[in-house]
Amino acid sequence: MLNKLYINNYALIDEIEIEPQNGLNTITGETGAGKSIIMDALELLLGERADIKILKDSSKKCVIEAVFDISGYTLESFFEEQDIEFDRQTILRREISAQGKSRAFINDSPVNLTQLRELGKLLVDIHSQHETMLVNKTFNRFEIIDACLPENNLIKEYQNAFKELKKTTATLNDLLEQDKKAKLDYDYIMFQHNEIEAVNIKPGELNELEEEQKTLSHAEEIKSSLVNCTLLLQHTEKNVLELLKDIQVNLDKAAKYNKSIEELSNRVESCRLELKDISSEIESAEESIQFNPEKLEELNNRISIINNLLYKHRLKNEEELLSLKNELLQKINNTDTLSEAIEKLEKQKTAIENKCILVAKNIAAARKKIIPDFEREIKEILTQLSMPYAQFKIELEESQELNAYGCNNIKFLFNANKGGKAEELQQIASGGEYSRLMLAIKSIVCKNKKLPTIIFDEIDTGVSGEVADKMGKIMKQMSAYMQVIAITHLPQVAVKGNNHYKVYKVTTGQHTASKIKLLNEKERIEEIAKMLSGEKLSAAALENAKALMQA
């Protein structure tokens, strides 16, 4: 149960601290005093998203902290799963910085909002003013019924399987989309691959081809130059080789009389022999150069094909073209791999779907089994709340498709009047009828869920007099097995609290703040009297308040 709630720098609140007790705790106060602000702060603590606008003083952080006694509620497994230290006096804290950053803690361990929400669902049920209408939502109706199932682990098993089914379906749809696109592109990819494959290109080939092309294109020029070289070296009247020979002869004559000249003669001999060798190679090179128009055309075509492929794919060289060919081949192979993955995933999806169907049918059977008792209990409570002729029926239909709650569709049918026909709840119930029906539902659900604490934020809206008194009695009955906190504007409900808190505003200069205090017996009688007759207290109002308290 909630042992302590501390709120600092939130909306109209500077700082407050309350310590609710066992049983029924009632909270009253004038409209606008800040009763619902306290509940908003608690909802923030339990995982609602924060807004920097909630800071009363924008230069300081907001802190909301609650201490829960969770002994006897077997919540150890939650703490173990979340790797959080367990303590029977569990502390939840939420901080909103002046910059709008949010931090959350459970027993001083940093946690995310999801963890905070999950634990919050196990600790407290907050029935806010707008939640009465949520009974019209499909998801809320299933949660109401499923909270009363004796085999509640079936719900968790189904939710896990359905989540897995959705994930698998999404992955499968993604693969099918990829496969569809791959098949549309397959022919084009295959054509591109085969086009490159047919060329049978080799790394560096283009440079070799272009060199050979250049040689063939200028064969006559090359041949003419080489013939001239040969002529100059050895076939003219005074060719280079003969001149060198004459030079050597003269040097040899001089060397007879000067030994140092012999070395020069040897060097000239070396030059002559080297040039003779060069001349021989030039002749061979000249003989190898042939003018071949057919070969040149073949080279031009080959170079053109390769350059066209490079231009088409916006590539720089043969290496990049070969790399593209490998990529295209990989895509072709991936089409087959994708088909195998799709086939495997389809089998996996079918298996999960079959599991979902089986568990969903078991849940549907369990729901059908408890619905008559649930309808009967609602009818009994509505009778206590001065609706003796009320009809409340739950229609559970089989769904053609699996949904987040199994294989059912659900309707709540209602009629408050004798002889009337039960119709869809949202089409027929008034505000006061909604309030009474919601209280009846909550009293049954919370008893089955075994929650430590439930908080009602003006669930008695739209009722008064005897009905209000009876609603107060039901809240009192609920407080026998759980802690109940009720924000109310009705004296008939307020008097039934074991503890009575008052929320009020204090204005000092330009500053207004909400406060809360636990009322003693005298203050409580005065507060009830004001709720009965207005701000001005009269002796009659005080007597009426005392009588109401005693009753």
Side-chain angles (χ1 to χ4, degrees):
M1 73 174 204
L2 178 61
N3 281 349
K4 183 188 291 185
L5 176 63
Y6 171 79
I7 304 171
N8 180 280
N9 195 33
Y10 180 86
L12 284 176
I13 298 170
D14 285 325
E15 183 178 52
I16 64 170
E17 183 175 294
I18 55 176
E19 297 181 353
Q21 305 299 310
N22 278 324
L24 176 60
N25 299 267
T26 55
I27 301 175
T28 61
E30 294 178 4
T31 301
K35 300 186 298 296
S36 293
I37 290 175
I38 295 172
M39 293 305 102
D40 292 341
L42 187 54
E43 286 182 332
L44 186 69
L45 176 66
L46 297 175
E48 287 297 314
R49 297 212 167 268
D51 188 331
I52 194 170
K53 293 176 183 177
I54 57 97
L55 299 180
K56 191 174 192 298
D57 182 343
S58 59
S59 67
K60 299 191 299 184
K61 70 179 178 180
C62 164
V63 178
I64 306 166
E65 185 173 282
V67 181
F68 288 90
D69 182 351
I70 61 172
S71 53
Y73 288 96
T74 61
L75 298 178
E76 289 85 351
S77 59
F78 172 86
F79 287 83
E80 187 176 340
E81 289 170 10
Q82 302 297 327
D83 194 24
I84 300 170
E85 184 180 351
F86 175 81
D87 194 323
R88 292 184 178 183
Q89 295 293 312
T90 285
I91 301 172
L92 275 61
R93 188 168 80 257
R94 184 91 182 269
E95 297 178 358
I96 314 299
S97 73
Q99 292 74 39
K101 293 181 180 178
S102 170
R103 296 198 303 165
F105 304 87
I106 299 174
N107 292 336
D108 287 328
S109 296
V111 295
N112 56 44
L113 291 189
T114 301
Q115 291 171 302
L116 207 58
R117 276 193 288 267
E118 288 302 312
L119 180 57
K121 288 177 184 178
L122 303 173
L123 297 178
V124 59
D125 184 326
I126 299 179
H127 178 88
S128 57
Q129 293 181 40
H130 69 275
E131 192 185 350
T132 296
M133 302 308 293
L134 286 180
V135 74
N136 291 326
K137 302 294 183 183
T138 300
F139 73 87
N140 221 29
R141 293 180 178 185
F142 276 117
E143 287 181 359
I144 287 167
I145 294 303
D146 293 345
C148 302
L149 292 176
E151 294 295 324
N152 212 275
N153 58 316
L154 282 175
I155 302 297
K156 191 169 184 180
E157 183 181 355
Y158 177 79
Q159 287 173 345
N160 289 337
F162 188 70
K163 185 178 179 181
E164 189 179 356
L165 177 63
K166 285 177 69 178
K167 184 179 177 182
T168 304
T169 302
T171 305
L172 178 60
N173 289 339
D174 185 49
L175 288 182
L176 287 169
E177 191 63 33
Q178 289 180 42
D179 187 55
K180 181 181 176 182
K181 187 177 184 304
K183 284 177 179 174
L184 287 173
D185 296 342
Y186 182 84
D187 290 341
Y188 181 58
I189 292 171
M190 181 64 81
F191 167 77
Q192 287 183 310
H193 174 268
N194 291 344
E195 186 181 39
I196 299 171
E197 177 76 13
V199 175
N200 192 26
I201 196 167
K202 297 175 181 62
E205 180 184 355
L206 190 59
N207 283 336
E208 293 176 9
L209 291 173
E210 287 173 343
E211 283 298 314
E212 190 176 356
Q213 178 201 44
K214 196 186 297 181
T215 299
L216 283 173
S217 297
H218 300 85
E220 290 184 6
E221 297 168 54
I222 297 169
K223 201 172 184 71
S224 175
S225 296
L226 293 175
V227 166
N228 288 335
C229 286
T230 303
L231 288 173
L232 290 169
L233 282 168
Q234 56 182 327
H235 296 303
T236 57
E237 187 177 349
K238 283 293 182 178
N239 60 70
V240 173
L241 290 175
E242 286 183 355
L243 289 172
L244 284 174
K245 183 65 179 174
D246 290 345
I247 292 168
Q248 186 183 4
V249 168
N250 285 301
L251 287 172
D252 285 344
K253 286 179 181 178
K256 290 177 182 178
Y257 308 106
N258 189 333
K259 286 290 180 182
S260 63
I261 297 173
E262 188 177 351
E263 176 62 27
L264 292 173
S265 175
N266 292 338
R267 289 171 66 184
V268 170
E269 173 67 7
S270 295
C271 289
R272 191 180 68 80
L273 292 173
E274 178 67 15
L275 281 174
K276 188 176 181 180
D277 187 58
I278 290 172
S279 177
S280 176
E281 287 189 21
I282 289 174
E283 281 185 301
S284 297
E286 182 269 325
E287 288 171 4
S288 70
I289 300 297
Q290 301 293 327
F291 180 65
N292 189 337
E294 292 81 9
K295 178 68 173 175
L296 180 59
E297 185 178 0
E298 183 184 319
L299 285 173
N300 287 338
N301 288 337
R302 177 75 175 169
I303 290 168
S304 177
I305 289 170
I306 295 173
N307 279 328
N308 285 339
L309 282 174
L310 291 172
Y311 178 78
K312 177 180 179 179
H313 297 288
R314 296 192 175 110
L315 301 174
K316 295 177 182 177
N317 50 50
E318 304 95 303
E319 287 77 6
E320 290 185 1
L321 201 59
L322 289 169
S323 179
L324 174 63
K325 186 188 80 168
N326 292 333
E327 287 176 21
L328 293 170
L329 182 61
Q330 185 64 44
K331 287 181 180 180
I332 292 166
N333 294 335
N334 283 348
T335 305
D336 297 332
T337 307
L338 209 56
S339 298
E340 292 173 9
I342 287 169
E343 185 180 353
K344 182 179 178 182
L345 212 56
E346 282 175 339
K347 290 179 181 177
Q348 188 177 332
K349 180 189 171 185
T350 301
I352 300 168
E353 202 166 27
N354 289 338
K355 179 182 178 180
C356 285
I357 291 169
L358 179 63
V359 179
K361 285 182 177 179
N362 290 335
I363 292 171
R367 285 170 179 159
K368 286 179 183 177
K369 192 173 180 180
I370 66 159
I371 281 174
D373 287 337
F374 189 87
E375 291 172 337
R376 177 182 52 75
E377 287 187 70
I378 293 288
K379 168 73 174 168
E380 289 174 358
I381 297 171
L382 291 178
T383 299
Q384 293 177 45
L385 296 172
S386 300
M387 298 172 72
Y389 304 113
Q391 302 172 58
F392 177 77
K393 296 185 180 297
I394 298 172
E395 281 191 359
L396 200 65
E397 301 170 345
E398 188 171 340
S399 171
Q400 296 302 310
E401 295 181 0
L402 292 170
N403 56 50
Y405 299 95
C407 58
N408 290 134
N409 293 320
I410 193 169
K411 291 180 182 178
F412 279 12
L413 307 180
F414 178 77
N415 195 297
N417 304 310
K418 186 177 182 179
K421 181 185 175 183
E423 297 181 27
E424 276 271 28
L425 181 60
Q426 63 267 31
Q427 297 173 3
I428 197 168
S430 67
E433 290 165 351
Y434 263 121
S435 294
R436 282 179 274 181
L437 178 59
M438 202 67 208
L439 179 60
I441 288 171
K442 286 285 184 180
S443 65
I444 297 169
V445 169
C446 290
K447 182 170 64 177
N448 282 282
K449 286 174 76 173
K450 295 181 174 59
L451 279 172
T453 301
I454 184 167
I455 300 173
F456 293 114
D457 187 0
E458 297 194 2
I459 195 173
D460 47 20
T461 299
V463 301
S464 59
E466 184 183 355
V467 175
D469 181 67
K470 290 178 177 178
M471 289 185 79
K473 285 180 180 176
I474 290 193
M475 291 184 212
K476 186 75 171 177
Q477 290 168 10
M478 291 175 68
S479 72
Y481 52 84
M482 67 188 307
Q483 183 188 51
V484 179
I485 300 172
I487 297 175
T488 181
H489 63 285
L490 298 178
Q492 295 92 338
V493 175
V495 296
K496 291 181 173 57
N498 301 90
N499 306 284
H500 186 163
Y501 295 86
K502 178 182 178 179
V503 179
Y504 59 98
K505 284 198 289 191
V506 174
T507 301
T508 307
Q510 301 298 314
H511 182 80
T512 300
S514 291
K515 304 285 185 181
I516 189 168
K517 67 179 294 189
L518 177 63
L519 302 180
N520 59 35
E521 187 174 356
K522 180 177 179 296
E523 291 169 330
R524 190 172 183 185
I525 290 170
E526 289 176 356
E527 175 69 7
I528 298 298
K530 288 178 184 178
M531 295 174 75
L532 287 167
S533 63
E535 192 64 31
K536 188 176 179 180
L537 288 176
S538 64
L542 288 168
E543 287 302 316
N544 198 0
K546 287 177 184 177
L548 199 58
M549 289 277 292
Q550 290 169 358

